[in-house]
Amino acid sequence: MINRQNFSIKAYLVVGPENTLGRDPLDIIRQAIEAGFSFIQVRSKEASARELIDLTCRTAQIIEDMGAEDRVALVVNDRLDVVLAARDRGAKVDGIHVGQSDIPVEVCRNHLGPDALVGLSADTQDLMTYVKTENVEDIDYFGAGPLRFTPTKPNCGYDREGTFHERSFGEIEELEKISQLPLVIGGGVKLADIPGLKKTGVAGFFVVSAVAGAEDPYQAAKDLVAAWEEN
């Protein structure tokens, strides 16, 4: 069983039906797991609640059928209602991932229990402030970025004046040094970025298009995992 002490965010896929170029997201998820991905986040801003519940339940079933329940974590982005409904159907959903402006992490913890995974994401600069000032006892890991501009989250990375800022490896390394929790970095991450990211000391990388939008999702996922493990 995945719990707060034994999860891995080294290779983290964020995926929903709008990210897969019309292909079945379940096929993409299966290929990513076969290639060595350790964490799946179901995320969609377009799917209905029922569609998300179904996708979450079917993803949990794939993980179970592959015998990967002890090595692959499953969370849902934002939607506490989806996590609870999927669990009510008997699906093994390990937790939730939220942003700073979403449902509070303590509410997620109260509803999902002491062993659930709760991730929090924010722009790298915002997290630098957060980790210094906020109580993080209900959080298990941080997601930060963007490393590059990414069309899957086009509003991410802009300051109050509307200027986009990529995050340097130096900034990420600084955040890693002050963070009390493991960090997973994403936002436009490509294969060529993996060696530099690994050197910052973060716990892993997350991708959407680099796998879900790849011509060969399995090979793309395998190359990313290999690059991480070789560096």
Side-chain angles (χ1 to χ4, degrees):
M1 295 287 289
I2 300 291
N3 58 45
R4 299 184 73 184
Q5 284 71 50
N6 73 349
F7 66 96
S8 170
I9 53 175
K10 72 173 184 180
Y12 187 128
L13 177 65
V14 181
V15 64
E18 61 263 46
N19 309 130
T20 59
L21 305 179
R23 298 170 294 189
D24 186 347
L26 294 168
D27 288 339
I28 306 294
I29 290 166
R30 183 183 293 105
Q31 291 179 65
I33 294 171
E34 289 174 346
F37 267 61
S38 58
F39 212 109
I40 305 295
Q41 181 190 136
V42 172
R43 182 183 79 184
S44 178
K45 303 302 181 182
E46 299 177 6
S48 69
R50 288 179 181 270
E51 289 170 334
L52 275 173
I53 293 165
D54 180 65
L55 178 57
T56 302
C57 289
R58 294 173 71 189
T59 300
Q61 188 63 55
I62 284 173
I63 293 172
E64 180 180 346
D65 291 346
M66 296 178 73
E69 290 177 293
D70 292 334
R71 62 181 176 86
V72 178
L74 171 62
V75 300
V76 176
N77 180 261
D78 287 355
R79 299 294 297 270
L80 180 59
D81 58 333
V82 170
V83 178
L84 294 172
R87 284 185 167 190
D88 194 55
R89 289 189 182 182
K92 179 184 172 292
V93 185
D94 297 295
I96 192 167
H97 187 94
V98 296
Q100 286 190 39
S101 61
D102 298 323
I103 186 168
V105 292
E106 61 270 20
V107 174
C108 298
R109 177 64 62 204
N110 288 341
H111 283 276
L112 298 180
D115 295 325
L117 299 181
V118 178
L120 179 76
S121 65
D123 179 274
T124 299
Q125 288 297 320
D126 292 337
L127 272 179
M128 284 182 178
T129 301
Y130 190 96
V131 300
K132 295 175 183 177
T133 60
E134 300 294 329
N135 184 337
V136 299
E137 65 180 4
D138 288 320
I139 308 169
D140 298 294
Y141 69 90
F142 289 126
L147 191 64
R148 308 275 184 267
F149 175 79
T150 171
T152 60
K153 293 196 78 174
N155 296 323
C156 186
Y158 287 88
D159 62 22
R160 290 180 178 84
E161 286 71 44
T163 302
F164 178 78
H165 296 277
E166 292 183 350
R167 296 308 172 193
S168 69
F169 292 139
E171 288 175 296
I172 292 167
E173 185 173 7
E174 180 183 352
L175 177 60
E176 195 281 329
K177 287 179 179 178
I178 65 173
S179 176
Q180 304 169 51
L181 300 173
L183 289 170
V184 60
I185 305 297
V189 168
K190 294 178 172 56
L191 181 60
D193 298 315
I194 298 299
L197 270 182
K198 185 71 176 287
K199 289 178 182 177
T200 68
V202 298
F205 63 90
F206 72 84
V207 294
V208 185
S209 300
V211 170
E215 182 177 348
D216 185 340
Y218 172 78
Q219 190 61 52
K222 187 175 181 180
D223 289 346
L224 287 162
V225 171
W228 183 265
E229 293 179 345
E230 287 170 1
N231 287 278

